[in-house]
Amino acid sequence: MLEAIRRAMTFLREKQVLHKLGVVISVAVIGIACYVLYHMLRGIDRNEVVEAIKSTEPSQIAMAALFVAAGYFTLTFYDLFATRAIGHPHVPYRINALAAFTSYSIGHNVGASVFTGGAVRYRIYSAYGLNAIDVAKICFLAGLTFWLGNAAVLGLGIAYHPEAAASIDQLPAWLNRTLALAIIVALIAYVVWVWTQPRVVGRGPWTVVLPGGPLTLLQIAIGIVDLGFCALAMYVLVPDEPNLGFIVVAVIFVSATLLGFASHSPGGLGVFDAAMLVGLWQMDREELLGGMLLFRVLYYLAPFVISVILLTFREVMIGARSKRLQQAALKLDPGPAREAAYVRERSDGGA
C-alpha cells in the first residue's frame, strides 16, 4: 500500500500535477474571496470604520500587541526545535529566534512564504555552516509543527463547537463534527505511527528523520500555543457584542488563516478578510473591519518593519566586520592582501 502511494506521488511530481493543482486551487480561492469580499464590503461606511478604530481602547490594543509578541516568541521555538532535530545544536537560540521571526514576518507579508522565508533563513543559517539542504529540512520541520498545531486546534475546536466552522464551509454541524473527529483520529494515528519506530521521509541527502512520539507531542503543543496567542489577539480586537466566545472566534480565525495560506496571497490579503467577515457575520461589519485592520498592523505590518530593520542592521554589521578583517589582514601581510585587493578592484571595474 505504501509503495503504491509512493509510486503515485512520484508520477504526480513528474507530471507536475500537484504544482498545477496547487495553482488552480490558489486562483480559485482568491477569485471566490474577491467575489465574497466585494459583496461584503458594499455599503461599508469608511468613516464608521475609522471611528471604530479610534474608539478602540488603548488597553485593548496593548493587550493584542502583547499576545502578538507572545505568538512570535512561540514561533522562535519552531526553528529551535527544527535545528536540534536535524542535528545542529551548535546554532544558538538567538539565531533561531532571528531566523524564525524575520522569515515568518517577511514571508507573511511578501507571500510564497516557503521561498521567501527559506531565502531569509538561508542567509542567516549559512553563517553557521548550514547548507541549502539543512535549511530545507528546517523549513519542512517548522511547517510540520505549524500543520500539526492547526490540525489539533481545528479538530478540537470544531468537535467542541461545529457551528463555528459551519458559517464558513456551509456544511451541517454533524458533518463538521464528523470531519473534526476524523482530523483528531488522524492526528492520534500519526503520533502512534512515529512513536512505534523511527520514521524517515525523503531520499538521499534530503532524508529527514521525523520526530518521535514525545517530540511530536511537543510539536503539537508549540503549534497550539502559537495559534492560541494569535487567536487571542484577534479576539481582543473584535467587537464585544455579540459575545460569541473565544472558541468560536478561534476556529473561524484559524480557518481564515489556513484559507489565506492556501491562496499564497501576501498576508492572505482578501482571502483571510473575506473568511472572517463571512464567519463572524453576526458582528457589526464596520467594527469588525476596524479590528481586523488593527490586527494587520500589529501582526503583519509592525513585525515586517522590525524585521527589515533587523536584517539591514545585521548586513551593515557583517559588512563592517568584513572590512575590519580585511584591514587587519592588510596590516599583517600587506603584499598578498594588496594584490588580492587589486585583483578584486580590477574584476569589479571590469564587471
Side-chain angles (χ1 to χ4, degrees):
M1 183 65 180
L2 289 176
E3 185 60 31
I5 294 174
R6 291 193 187 99
R7 287 198 298 268
M9 294 299 294
T10 301
F11 173 79
L12 292 175
R13 282 197 297 268
E14 290 176 352
K15 299 297 182 180
Q16 295 187 333
V17 174
L18 295 178
H19 173 71
K20 294 174 182 177
L21 182 62
V23 172
V24 170
I25 292 174
S26 297
V27 172
V29 170
I30 293 174
I32 295 171
C34 289
Y35 175 81
V36 171
L37 198 60
Y38 170 75
H39 286 276
M40 292 293 294
L41 295 182
R42 283 196 306 179
I44 286 287
D45 189 331
R46 286 178 293 181
N47 293 327
E48 290 188 19
V49 174
V50 173
E51 187 60 34
I53 294 174
K54 290 181 178 178
S55 62
T56 304
E57 294 291 335
S59 58
Q60 289 179 268
I61 298 176
M63 188 174 297
L66 182 63
F67 286 137
V68 167
Y72 272 101
F73 172 70
T74 308
L75 277 178
T76 65
F77 293 100
Y78 282 40
D79 278 44
L80 178 67
F81 178 91
T83 52
R84 271 47 177 184
I86 66 172
H88 289 284
H90 68 280
V91 179
Y93 169 72
R94 68 178 188 279
I95 300 302
N96 295 138
L98 177 65
F101 175 72
T102 54
S103 63
Y104 279 112
S105 56
I106 291 177
H108 286 160
N109 285 274
V110 177
S113 57
V114 173
F115 302 103
T116 54
V120 173
R121 278 190 172 103
Y122 178 75
R123 179 61 181 165
I124 295 173
Y125 284 130
S126 60
Y128 283 80
L130 276 66
N131 56 33
I133 295 178
D134 294 326
V135 173
K137 291 179 180 180
I138 291 172
C139 292
F140 170 77
L141 289 174
L144 181 61
T145 302
F146 171 79
W147 285 108
L148 288 173
N150 274 279
V153 170
L154 281 179
L156 295 172
I158 296 176
Y160 177 76
H161 206 308
E163 294 81 6
S167 59
I168 294 180
D169 58 27
Q170 302 301 307
L171 297 176
W174 67 267
L175 183 54
N176 275 326
R177 177 165 281 157
T178 302
L179 293 174
L181 293 175
I183 292 174
I184 295 173
V185 170
L187 192 61
I188 294 173
Y190 175 80
V191 173
V192 173
W193 182 63
V194 296
W195 204 309
T196 53
Q197 66 183 60
R199 304 292 180 175
V200 178
V201 295
R203 292 181 179 179
W206 299 92
T207 299
V208 177
V209 179
L210 294 175
L215 290 179
T216 299
L217 292 179
L218 177 60
Q219 281 184 288
I220 294 172
I222 293 172
I224 291 175
V225 172
D226 169 38
L227 291 169
F229 279 129
C230 295
L232 279 169
M234 177 58 76
Y235 180 67
V236 169
L237 295 173
V238 298
D240 295 331
E241 297 295 336
N243 186 5
L244 302 178
F246 172 69
I247 299 296
V248 173
V249 174
V251 168
I252 293 172
F253 170 80
V254 174
S255 301
T257 300
L258 289 180
L259 286 173
F261 184 81
S263 71
H264 294 289
S265 63
L269 193 62
V271 179
F272 171 83
D273 310 277
M276 289 292 294
L277 288 168
V278 170
L280 299 175
W281 58 270
Q282 307 94 327
M283 296 182 176
D284 181 83
R285 286 186 300 172
E286 284 80 6
E287 291 183 7
L288 177 58
L289 193 57
M292 289 162 56
L293 289 173
L294 285 173
F295 179 81
R296 281 199 171 277
V297 170
L298 294 174
Y299 191 79
Y300 291 99
L301 185 58
F304 178 72
V305 172
I306 295 172
S307 293
V308 171
I309 293 173
L310 286 175
L311 290 177
T312 302
F313 179 74
R314 180 177 180 272
E315 293 300 319
V316 170
M317 293 296 294
I318 290 175
R321 187 182 300 117
S322 177
K323 187 176 180 180
R324 287 197 302 270
L325 290 174
Q326 289 177 4
Q327 290 174 348
L330 186 63
K331 291 179 180 178
L332 292 174
D333 196 0
R338 282 177 180 166
E339 182 179 349
Y342 175 75
V343 172
R344 284 196 300 272
E345 183 180 350
R346 288 296 299 272
S347 62
D348 293 340

